[in-house]
Amino acid sequence: MGFMDELKGVFRETEEGINKAAKDLSRVLKDIKSAPFVKEMCKTASNMYRMGWDERNGGNISYLLDEKEVAEYLDLNNVLRKIPLAGVNAAEFDVTPLIGKIFIVTGTGKYFKNIEDDPETNLGIVRIAKNSVELLWGYKGGGRTTSELPAHLMCHMARLNADPENRVVMHSHPTHTLAMNYVHELDEKKFTHTLWEMCTECIAVFPDGVGILPWMLCGTNSIGVATAKKMEEFRLVIWAMHGIYGAGKTMDETFGLIETVEKAAQIYMLTAHLPRINTIKDEQMKELAELFNCNYRIDFLNLK
Ligand code: 2HA
Ligand code: ZN
């Protein structure tokens, strides 16, 4: 056999090998749209939209995924493109603890109401790199991560320090919570106390209370730094006259935190202009928090 024939044979074998490997890979990879984490993002965004918390492109969610689980659906070596970590000032924002971690994140300018019908356009799965994120799936048609990604990543770092099982950061514009921002003092103790008074179980759901930031420009590193600082202490942070941030271990826990604050704020807004005849007393809140064994902010109660 001549040298050329031998060479052709080697090429043929290599090509066959590559084709077989590609075929094997596509056979073993499951359909990403059936992944539980994609379905959870879709369902949650639809629920948030229907709750009226996420008008137009309002709100954003980031969800830390398990690499092994993602590898069942995607080839982790196939980076579709790199997206810069917009507006990042390295001195303020060191992403090192998150490098290599994979998140599913809502896209900038995308509407929550459209996510369920078209997850591939409205969501992205990204791996964090030094000054950019590597797109592994989604943002079809040239989309990018939410403009609030710096705030989200900073919050993840703060919450992971407080609780290594934290996975979800969620931002939205819940109506009554926002309304309450205009008529109630924006003091963390007073605001939390009022919310706790509005439904018996509030103190057990968010015993750590609600942190509050004054009005700040959104989409910036500084609001991210300030939110993350609050998140060292609180799982819920209000952005005055804008909305709320929640963080938790699961999508249900995080959604439930915001839902419970919003319910309490709704009751406040339904009753604030009426004479208050009955109320839950601080001693009763203490009793409940202790029954549920909650590590509650006792300094947010006015106990005698
Ligand atoms: O993503 O809610 O705060 C839109 C927003 C920005
Ligand atoms: Zn917002």
Side-chain angles (χ1 to χ4, degrees):
M1 195 165 35
F3 174 70
M4 282 311 284
D5 288 335
E6 215 171 293
L7 202 59
K8 273 186 205 158
V10 170
F11 272 125
R12 205 163 33 243
E13 274 173 31
T14 314
E15 200 185 333
E16 277 166 12
I18 290 171
N19 286 343
K20 187 175 173 301
K23 233 180 181 170
D24 286 350
L25 197 61
S26 64
R27 204 176 323 123
V28 291
L29 288 179
K30 298 193 239 168
D31 175 14
I32 184 76
K33 289 192 186 126
S34 70
F37 48 84
V38 172
K39 287 189 173 167
E40 248 185 313
M41 286 290 280
C42 289
K43 236 176 84 184
T44 307
S46 291
N47 278 335
M48 291 169 81
Y49 174 69
R50 279 192 286 269
M51 300 292 274
W53 303 349
D54 295 278
E55 73 291 342
R56 200 173 181 276
N57 64 322
N60 25 73
I61 310 174
S62 58
Y63 184 7
L64 174 58
L65 303 177
D66 176 50
E67 186 183 308
K68 279 208 197 76
E69 198 183 351
V70 183
E72 293 175 27
Y73 301 89
L74 298 175
D75 172 6
L76 301 184
N77 295 314
N78 185 22
V79 174
L80 304 179
R81 58 190 156 98
K82 287 194 170 199
I83 303 172
L85 267 177
V88 170
N89 175 340
E92 282 180 310
F93 179 36
D94 177 13
V95 83
T96 309
L98 296 180
I99 287 180
K101 299 233 184 286
I102 300 175
F103 291 84
I104 185 163
V105 185
T106 51
T108 184
K110 304 300 186 201
Y111 291 27
F112 269 32
K113 80 178 173 65
N114 296 336
I115 291 178
E116 195 157 26
D117 280 345
D118 187 1
E120 196 170 355
T121 300
N122 296 291
L123 299 175
I125 296 180
V126 296
R127 181 169 50 211
I128 310 301
K130 199 160 170 44
N131 286 310
S132 63
V133 298
E134 299 171 333
L135 182 64
L136 300 173
W137 174 82
Y139 302 143
K140 203 172 85 188
R144 299 159 69 101
T145 43
T146 167
S147 59
E148 303 294 358
L149 190 66
H152 277 249
L153 295 183
M154 286 184 235
C155 287
H156 276 286
M157 289 190 277
R159 285 315 302 168
L160 284 168
N161 277 337
D163 176 358
E165 286 180 34
N166 193 86
R167 300 188 91 78
V168 180
V169 171
M170 194 182 273
H171 165 65
S172 71
H173 306 158
T175 313
H176 300 89
T177 307
L178 216 42
M180 190 170 159
N181 281 202
Y182 291 85
V183 298
H184 193 286
E185 256 182 277
L186 294 173
D187 168 271
E188 285 166 352
K189 173 177 173 170
K190 290 180 185 162
F191 202 94
T192 300
H193 188 270
T194 300
L195 292 172
W196 282 351
E197 275 181 319
M198 293 299 124
C199 310
T200 294
E201 292 184 3
C202 275
I203 193 168
V205 175
F206 50 98
D208 40 347
V210 175
I212 302 180
L213 288 181
W215 188 93
M216 288 177 80
L217 190 61
C218 54
T220 61
N221 278 354
S222 17
I223 199 165
V225 171
T227 313
K229 184 97 198 92
K230 290 284 178 201
M231 284 238 169
E232 290 171 5
E233 194 180 343
F234 301 102
R235 287 171 301 159
L236 287 157
V237 179
I238 285 178
W239 283 6
M241 276 89 61
H242 178 142
I244 194 163
Y245 262 73
K249 293 185 187 54
T250 63
M251 203 66 90
D252 269 354
E253 182 194 7
T254 317
F255 183 93
L257 282 170
I258 297 179
E259 186 182 27
T260 309
V261 165
E262 173 61 0
K263 173 71 175 272
Q266 181 172 15
I267 298 177
Y268 177 76
M269 293 310 294
L270 286 169
T271 56
H273 55 295
L274 301 170
R276 177 95 65 96
I277 297 171
N278 303 306
T279 198
I280 305 171
K281 296 188 180 74
D282 285 45
E283 283 70 23
Q284 294 169 325
M285 291 195 246
K286 176 176 185 285
E287 259 180 76
L288 190 106
E290 284 170 9
L291 176 69
F292 284 89
N293 217 359
C294 299
N295 186 15
Y296 67 107
R297 286 292 299 253
I298 196 162
D299 56 321
F300 281 6
L301 290 180
N302 301 308
L303 296 165
K304 281 173 210 98

